[in-house]
Amino acid sequence: MSASLTATGHFGHRDTDAHPPAYTPGYKTSVLRSPQKTLIANYATLSEVTAPVFSPAELGPKDNDLITNFAKDGLPIGERIVVHGFVRDEFGRPVKGALVEVWQANASGRYRHKKDQYLGTLDPNFGGCGRMVTDENGYYVYRTIKPGPYPWRNRINEWRPAHIHYSISGDGWAQRLITQLYFEGDPLIPHCPIIKTIKSEEQIRGLIALMDREQAVPQDSLCYRFDITLRGRRANWFENK
């Protein structure tokens, strides 16, 4: 086990006032699943400041290639993209050996899940899941198909922007982060009720991947950069309260 800790042996204190509120009626499903009483802050113990150790050797050769890791009789349909970035801790240090897991809808905006009944077409060659482990510099990279937007039953005629879900397991459970990546220039971002729960424009910008044309693959794939900060003032916010 390992942990990127302060000199006192603990992670820095969170500023809970910076988090999106759990109860946000505009995001309809938060009404029933948000806590209604004041949360209790516990002192961090070994179970919070440590975490499992992950190795790239535990993963398959195609785990970070969503274009080919589910393909059976052809390649998936849609815009091919590369996503890359760095995972850092609250002090700006690289988090090496972090497990980064991603999942998403396909190009038509549909998930490979039995409860997703959106009329978007399922792609037989796209599973929508991948994972990778960061290197010594906290760097990660994967290939995928750019997901499509889709309607959802929050209010009448509301749509989720194109997004990719992230789960990051870093040096300690106290760093655990579940978040989402959005794409630069998507006109649906300002209208999303989930994004509207985030308090500041700076925090929202931290969830938007920027196009990185220098790293694009000619005649193949555009590239987006998405850096992740676990905890601290520059943390990527979302479901990490």
Side-chain angles (χ1 to χ4, degrees):
M1 294 186 175
S2 62
S4 296
L5 307 179
T6 65
T8 60
H10 297 282
F11 291 105
H13 291 293
R14 287 187 185 274
D15 178 8
T16 55
D17 290 336
H19 284 270
Y23 177 76
T24 51
Y27 176 16
K28 192 166 62 175
T29 56
S30 77
V31 174
L32 295 178
R33 68 186 185 187
S34 60
Q36 300 300 307
K37 296 182 179 180
T38 303
L39 300 178
I40 298 174
N42 292 323
Y43 186 78
T45 64
L46 190 64
S47 61
E48 285 76 50
V49 300
T50 59
V53 175
F54 301 100
S55 167
E58 300 176 78
L59 307 185
K62 293 185 178 181
D63 277 13
N64 72 330
D65 190 348
L66 282 70
I67 292 177
T68 62
N69 67 13
F70 195 81
K72 295 177 175 61
D73 54 5
L75 293 176
I77 295 171
E79 179 184 344
R80 297 157 63 94
I81 61 173
V82 173
V83 181
H84 72 142
F86 292 86
V87 179
R88 300 185 177 94
D89 70 10
E90 58 202 296
F91 306 109
R93 301 174 299 196
V95 181
K96 64 180 180 180
L99 178 65
V100 180
E101 300 171 286
V102 295
W103 64 99
Q104 63 171 91
N106 64 20
S108 73
R110 185 167 175 180
Y111 290 93
R112 183 168 293 281
H113 192 283
K114 63 182 179 181
K115 290 189 176 181
D116 188 347
Q117 299 299 311
Y118 175 44
L119 54 78
T121 304
L122 277 176
D123 189 330
N125 294 304
F126 188 73
C129 298
R131 58 183 181 171
M132 61 232 73
V133 173
T134 58
D135 69 10
E136 293 289 320
N137 299 310
Y139 181 74
Y140 75 94
V141 61
Y142 63 97
R143 295 200 311 166
T144 189
I145 297 296
K146 189 173 182 180
Y150 57 82
W152 63 309
R153 298 179 182 275
N154 189 62
R155 307 285 179 190
I156 296 175
N157 197 30
E158 285 191 331
W159 288 71
R160 295 288 343 267
H163 60 278
I164 298 176
H165 297 268
Y166 272 69
S167 166
I168 301 98
S169 299
D171 288 331
W173 287 119
Q175 287 182 324
R176 186 83 166 90
L177 175 65
I178 308 293
T179 191
Q180 296 179 27
L181 170 160
Y182 299 92
F183 293 91
E184 178 183 17
D186 190 330
L188 290 173
I189 291 175
H191 305 286
C192 179
I194 297 179
I195 297 175
K196 286 181 180 179
T197 67
I198 301 173
K199 294 182 177 182
S200 76
E201 283 296 320
E202 181 182 9
Q203 292 172 356
I204 293 173
R205 288 197 298 271
L207 298 177
I208 298 175
L210 303 180
M211 185 178 291
D212 187 353
R213 293 192 62 184
E214 295 300 317
Q215 299 301 319
V217 181
Q219 307 299 317
D220 188 309
S221 306
L222 288 174
C223 182
Y224 289 87
R225 175 151 175 186
F226 187 59
D227 293 336
I228 299 164
T229 302
L230 306 177
R231 301 172 61 95
R233 185 179 65 85
R234 299 182 63 83
N236 295 73
W237 301 110
F238 227 87
E239 301 168 23
N240 61 349
K241 185 163 183 177

